[in-house]
């Protein structure tokens, strides 16, 4: 377990008060932000997953209930990303004496491109850390969350777990060693997210990407990443928008998403700053400079999909700067 890494602009916390049970929400995320494959991501206000975790008399980590997954997630502790990352955490802090029971309530579809496994894993890690009085900072939980991603989809990328855990917009400047940078969130930035009911497993969507890229494409891509980051620092909404171009991954993955280019055309016509695939898809997202415009984009894109006979979920959200949080008064 890699535990030494740097972060910039992210606060730590510790309260040291143990609890018997906690109820935690962790947010969905949009990874890649179009041009930043595996290095950029941000957190949404909704949807998100919930974990209820209780100390138990019996030893070990036990999944006692999962809802909202249509029976698709493993119940066996070593195979489920939530329980497996909780087990790694307990080993790391030398508290394998603690027994816990976990309920996972999924509130977003699996394979949606909204960081579904990341939100569950982050909720579980935030819950166990809170239960034990926050012995680790949020930043220190990150390597365990990355391990969870590896278990979920075969690759330990951090562009969903980092923003879900830390909130806001994050840059993974490097993976070895892990170097995570919190980026500024421009105040007028809103997101429209649409999830068409098509299953695109991240594992499959990663396997289809080319392993090598042409230098001329790399130049376009890193120009856009730098432009997007510069736009976030200066709240230059038009620079943000014109930097949201992906010449490396999107052309391949767009094939898996019905109506992708028509959705983009309609979103841009409806006032989007930029538009692209959320994570590995099939969800798509747009940035807009107001909540009204983001709402309009969501309804235009969803109406188009409905006209094509494709059901969808739509969301309108600001950027969630809080990350996971304890839900008070709803313990069961
Ligand atoms: N960066 C990852 C990918 C995110 O695009 O495969 C998966 O949600």
């Amino acid at each position: 377990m890699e535990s030494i890494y740097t972060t910039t602009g992210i606060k730590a916390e510790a309260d040291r008060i143990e609890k018997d049970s906690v109820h935690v929400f962790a947010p969905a995320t949009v990874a890649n932000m179009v041009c930043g494959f595996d290095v950029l991501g941000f957190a949404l206000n909704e949807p998100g997953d919930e974990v209820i975790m209780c100390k138990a008399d019996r030893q070990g980590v036990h999944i006692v209930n999962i809802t909202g997954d249509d029976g698709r997630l493993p119940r066996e502790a070593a195979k489920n990303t939530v329980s497996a990352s909780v087990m790694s955490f307990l080993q790391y802090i030398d508290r394998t004496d603690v027994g816990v029971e976990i309920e996972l309530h999924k509130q977003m579809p699996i394979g949606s491109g909204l960081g579904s496994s990341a939100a569950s894993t982050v909720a579980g890690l935030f819950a166990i850390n809170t239960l034990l009085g926050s012995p680790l900072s949020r930043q220190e939980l990150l390597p365990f969350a990355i391990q969870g991603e590896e278990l979920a989809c075969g690759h330990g990328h951090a562009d969903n777990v980092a923003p879900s855990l830390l909130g806001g917009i994050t840059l993974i400047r490097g993976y070895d060693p892990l170097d995570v940078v919190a980026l500024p969130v421009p105040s007028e930035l809103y997101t429209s997210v649409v999830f068409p009911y098509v299953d695109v497993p991240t594992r499959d969507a990663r396997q289809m990407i080319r392993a090598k890229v042409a230098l001329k494409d790399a130049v376009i891509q890193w120009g856009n990443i730098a432009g997007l980051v510069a736009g976030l620092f200066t709240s230059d909404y038009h620079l943000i928008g014109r930097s949201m171009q992906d010449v490396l991954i999107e052309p391949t993955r767009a094939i898996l998403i019905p109506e992708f280019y028509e959705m983009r055309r309609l979103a841009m016509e409806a006032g989007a700053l930029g538009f692209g695939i959320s994570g590995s898809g099939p969800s798509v997202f747009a940035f807009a400079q107001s909540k009204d415009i983001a709402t309009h984009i969501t309804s235009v894109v969803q109406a188009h999909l409905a006209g094509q006979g494709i059901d969808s979920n739509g969301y309108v959200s600001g950027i969630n700067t809080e990350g996971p949080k304890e839900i008070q008064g709803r313990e069961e």
Side-chain angles (χ1 to χ4, degrees):
M1 172 63 57
E2 175 65 70
S3 64
I4 299 168
Y5 58 93
T6 57
T7 56
T8 309
I10 297 163
K11 280 193 298 180
E13 76 228 271
D15 55 36
R16 307 281 171 207
I17 300 163
E18 292 205 18
K19 303 182 178 199
D20 290 328
S21 76
V22 285
H23 186 164
V24 164
F25 165 90
T29 43
V30 171
N32 300 338
M33 294 176 70
V34 183
C35 53
F37 179 70
D38 279 359
V39 300
L40 289 172
F42 65 90
L44 296 165
N45 288 324
E46 59 154 354
D49 285 346
E50 294 183 19
V51 159
I52 298 170
M53 192 176 290
C54 305
K55 280 190 186 150
D57 292 336
R58 54 177 174 160
Q59 257 198 317
V61 177
H62 308 274
I63 301 269
V64 292
N65 189 18
I66 302 180
T67 62
D69 73 326
D70 292 328
R72 289 173 65 183
L73 295 178
R75 268 60 179 169
E76 193 185 322
K79 292 189 178 160
N80 182 291
T81 59
V82 179
S83 40
S85 49
V86 167
M87 284 156 69
S88 298
F89 168 93
L90 289 172
Q91 272 160 12
Y92 181 78
I93 64 161
D94 203 16
R95 288 294 309 272
T96 47
D97 59 300
V98 178
V100 290
E101 293 184 343
I102 299 170
E103 283 182 41
L104 169 62
H105 299 289
K106 293 220 53 80
Q107 286 159 9
M108 73 180 100
I110 297 165
S112 58
L114 294 172
S116 173
S117 58
S120 300
T121 305
V122 165
L125 284 167
F126 190 78
I128 187 67
N129 198 44
T130 305
L131 203 65
L132 298 182
S134 302
L136 299 189
S137 67
R138 290 187 193 215
Q139 298 92 309
E140 287 169 324
L141 295 177
L142 188 53
F144 301 97
I146 293 173
Q147 259 188 359
E149 286 294 76
E150 194 153 10
L151 182 63
C153 75
H155 186 267
H157 50 275
D159 51 343
N160 290 114
V161 284
S164 184
L165 183 61
L166 306 169
I169 306 174
T170 56
L171 164 68
I172 321 303
R173 204 281 310 156
Y175 278 85
D176 188 16
L178 196 52
D179 185 353
V180 180
V181 181
L183 298 177
V185 178
S187 60
E188 293 165 33
L189 203 58
Y190 269 84
T191 312
S192 153
V193 176
V194 174
F195 164 57
Y197 288 2
V198 186
D199 201 3
V200 178
T202 298
R203 196 182 287 266
D204 298 350
R206 291 187 77 87
Q207 276 168 359
M208 65 192 293
I209 298 168
R210 284 172 294 154
K212 291 186 178 168
V213 301
L215 183 61
K216 71 173 177 38
D217 290 336
V219 170
I220 296 171
Q221 199 82 2
W222 60 55
N224 281 322
I225 295 173
L228 179 51
V229 171
L232 294 171
F233 269 93
T234 55
S235 292
D236 182 336
Y237 295 94
H238 293 286
L239 176 57
I240 291 169
R242 67 179 185 271
S243 303
M244 289 169 68
Q245 291 179 31
D246 173 13
V247 295
L248 298 183
I249 315 292
E250 182 183 282
T252 309
R253 283 184 169 170
I255 297 163
L256 299 176
I257 302 171
E259 300 297 309
F260 177 77
Y261 292 105
E262 186 58 9
M263 287 192 283
R264 174 154 76 192
R265 192 188 68 73
L266 290 167
M268 297 307 289
E269 202 175 85
L273 297 166
F275 175 94
I277 303 171
S278 173
S280 57
S283 290
V284 291
F285 83 104
F287 273 147
Q289 208 178 331
S290 76
K291 189 175 183 181
D292 285 350
I293 298 172
T295 305
H296 180 51
I297 295 166
T298 299
S299 64
V300 164
V301 171
Q302 283 200 279
H304 175 71
L305 288 174
Q308 301 297 311
I310 302 167
D311 288 334
S312 64
N313 285 356
Y315 306 94
V316 174
S317 174
I319 311 281
N320 175 335
T321 54
E322 197 177 11
K325 62 180 177 189
E326 205 178 336
I327 300 173
Q328 301 294 343
R330 288 178 55 190
E331 283 82 4
E332 289 166 17

